[in-house]
Amino acid sequence: MKSPSRPDRPRPLSPHLQIYRWQLTAVLSILHRATGVALCAGAVLLVWWLAAAASGPQAFAATQNFIGSWFGQGLLFGWTFSLFFHLCNGIRHLVWDAGWGFRMATVYASGWTVVGASIVLTTLAWVLGHAVRAGGA
Amino acid sequence: MKAGERRGMRSSLARVRGLGSAKEGVVHWWAQRVTAVALVPLSVWLAGNFVALAGAKHDVVVAWIASPVGTVLMLLSIVAIFHHAQLGLQVVIEDYVHGEGLKLATLLAVKGLAILLATIAGLAVLSISLGA
């Protein structure tokens, strides 16, 4: 009998990513992982922010200056969207884990709801944040 | 399954309790869900407070963290965030890093870093809260 570990020809491969048509379901799945990884980087900023707050007003002001810079604000905006998307889509995943929402039409409806909710919540957070900033200054 | 097909002395129950090749069954999957459920209210609480604290000065932020609710929920958030994060990164690493040595090194680095960062954050919260 031939050894199963040495085939005569290369094993068949499934088609690569670019073969498939982009669909909402696949995009949201990839986005869930991407935003999760992005949030890990955001968690590092949270630690820095807390450590700076514990160190004293000077270290904290330096952190706030970084967050207030255009680069920091860009990062913060990305993390805001990542947080709300990962949160909303995470709830969608938990509902699936409970065994609900697998009809094709439902999968698309929940997917578009997640997209809409993430955009609305991100906008709301930034509008309110700017209002707080303007009010406090 | 016929009796003759049993492997050694192990009962069917013992085979089931062996929990598969990784020997941990659904532990990883379940911990990911438990921390996810905890993070639903915690992340809403965090996001709401960060919005309210936009551009806040040091004394305001310190007062928020030092409040009993702030201290307790921030500590719980840190534990849930870093446990959830390292479980998620573990899956990403297992999917994309194929060399056994590099995979082990990356996993150890990520898990070690998660514990280190969570400890730093926890100490920061406690030192603010206890006024040390």
Side-chain angles (χ1 to χ4, degrees):
Chain A
M1 206 174 101
K2 262 171 37 180
S3 163
S5 63
R6 295 294 301 270
D8 291 338
R9 56 190 170 80
R11 303 293 300 153
L13 293 169
S14 56
H16 216 298
L17 262 184
Q18 66 267 27
I19 298 296
Y20 297 102
R21 182 170 58 86
W22 282 101
Q23 311 176 69
L24 181 71
T25 44
V27 172
L28 296 191
S29 174
I30 293 165
L31 215 52
H32 194 70
R33 177 165 281 197
T35 52
V37 173
L39 287 168
C40 291
V44 178
L45 180 83
L46 175 65
V47 175
W48 181 28
W49 188 75
L50 288 171
S55 299
Q58 265 190 322
F60 188 73
T63 312
Q64 291 290 66
N65 278 341
F66 170 74
I67 295 170
S69 69
W70 65 268
F71 183 64
Q73 289 283 291
L75 282 176
L76 205 59
F77 188 82
W79 281 322
T80 312
F81 178 77
S82 294
L83 177 70
F84 286 127
F85 177 83
H86 203 82
L87 173 65
C88 295
N89 203 46
I91 292 170
R92 182 166 171 250
H93 269 281
L94 288 171
V95 172
W96 283 335
D97 290 337
W100 296 317
F102 286 110
R103 275 183 45 233
M104 217 49 199
T106 317
V107 168
Y108 273 84
S110 62
W112 283 117
T113 307
V114 163
V115 172
S118 323
I119 293 172
V120 167
L121 288 169
T122 305
T123 311
L124 195 67
W126 277 73
V127 168
L128 288 176
H130 272 275
V132 168
R133 245 195 146 128
Chain B
M1 187 170 77
K2 285 183 290 186
E5 285 174 349
R6 267 204 195 152
R7 300 268 184 276
M9 301 291 287
R10 301 187 73 194
S11 67
S12 301
L13 180 63
R15 275 162 41 80
V16 169
R17 283 193 177 149
L19 299 170
S21 59
K23 301 286 186 288
E24 61 159 31
V26 295
V27 167
H28 182 286
W29 185 91
W30 183 244
Q32 186 91 76
R33 268 70 191 170
V34 170
T35 49
V37 170
L39 281 169
V40 171
L42 287 173
S43 56
V44 169
W45 174 77
L46 274 176
N49 278 284
F50 287 152
V51 166
L53 288 169
K57 294 270 175 288
H58 181 251
D59 54 341
V60 178
V61 173
V62 162
W64 170 61
I65 296 170
S67 71
V69 173
T71 302
V72 169
L73 291 188
M74 186 58 93
L75 285 174
L76 291 178
S77 298
I78 289 163
V79 172
I81 285 169
F82 280 98
H83 196 36
H84 190 82
Q86 61 90 13
L87 288 168
L89 285 177
Q90 180 189 339
V91 179
V92 175
I93 290 162
E94 287 168 348
D95 278 355
Y96 302 133
V97 182
H98 297 305
E100 278 307 314
L102 184 61
K103 188 200 289 182
L104 183 63
T106 319
L107 284 173
L108 285 175
V110 161
K111 298 204 169 228
L113 210 58
I115 293 170
L116 177 69
L117 289 170
T119 309
I120 292 171
L123 177 66
V125 171
L126 285 177
S127 72
I128 289 170
S129 179
L130 303 175

